[in-house]
Amino acid sequence: MPVIRACKVCGRNNRIPAAHLADTGRCGACKSPIPPAAEPLEVDTPLFDEIIANARVPVLVDFWAAWCGPCRMAAPEVARTAADMAGQAVVIKVDTERYPELAGRYNVRGIPNFAVFAHGRLVSQQAGLVNHEQMESWLASAKATSVA
């Protein structure tokens, strides 16, 4: 199940496989570069499973809900992390109201809740509001342990 991303040059939709979300690709229509994902991706359960299983870089998951004030406060930090770590990590968002089975799978009891995965495995998880520096530190640590 690929992620659909629009080309910034011609506007054409392109299917990007989960394994290549951190890579620079080419538009199928105009051949312009499509940069790595630099924004948090909203995912459903099948896309979550696909990205976690196939991403070649660490994945930060933001478990959140629209009614949650701290989640709204965390959103700019999550977005900045996605932008800062583009090409080195993938950032995804899971709406716990729409996908409670994912929240249950990872024992999410409080939100915001952040989880970091590397090579399909959960490597760290923490509830509560944190800044982008902390999120980037988690991702760098996951990348370092997956290389070793």
Side-chain angles (χ1 to χ4, degrees), residues 126-138:
Q126 179 177 319
L129 186 60
V130 296
N131 62 28
H132 69 277
E133 288 101 350
Q134 182 63 57
M135 294 177 208
E136 291 173 22
S137 172
W138 293 335

Side-chain angles (χ1 to χ4, degrees), residues 62-65 68-71 74 108 110-114 126-130:
D62 174 15
F63 291 97
W64 70 284
C68 170
C71 296
V108 173
I111 53 176
N113 191 299
F114 302 99
Q126 179 177 319
L129 186 60
V130 296

Side-chain angles (χ1 to χ4, degrees), residues 23 35-37 48-50 68 112 116 125 132 139 148:
D23 299 337
F48 174 93
D49 291 337
E50 176 80 14
C68 170
V116 176
Q125 186 170 2
H132 69 277
L139 290 166

Side-chain angles (χ1 to χ4, degrees), residues 9-96:
V9 175
C10 72
R12 201 74 180 264
N13 283 339
N14 290 267
R15 294 179 300 198
I16 312 295
H20 296 289
L21 287 171
D23 299 337
T24 298
R26 294 233 171 263
C27 175
C30 73
K31 308 302 181 210
S32 294
I34 297 177
E39 67 282 335
L41 304 170
E42 297 270 347
V43 299
D44 58 11
T45 302
L47 187 53
F48 174 93
D49 291 337
E50 176 80 14
I51 291 171
I52 296 303
N54 295 311
R56 297 186 305 202
V57 295
V59 179
L60 173 69
V61 181
D62 174 15
F63 291 97
W64 70 284
W67 54 262
C68 170
C71 296
R72 288 193 303 272
M73 291 172 54
E77 297 294 317
V78 173
R80 180 159 179 197
T81 300
D84 289 352
M85 299 296 289
Q88 303 170 60
V90 174
V91 178
I92 61 178
K93 294 178 72 74
V94 174
D95 183 341
T96 59

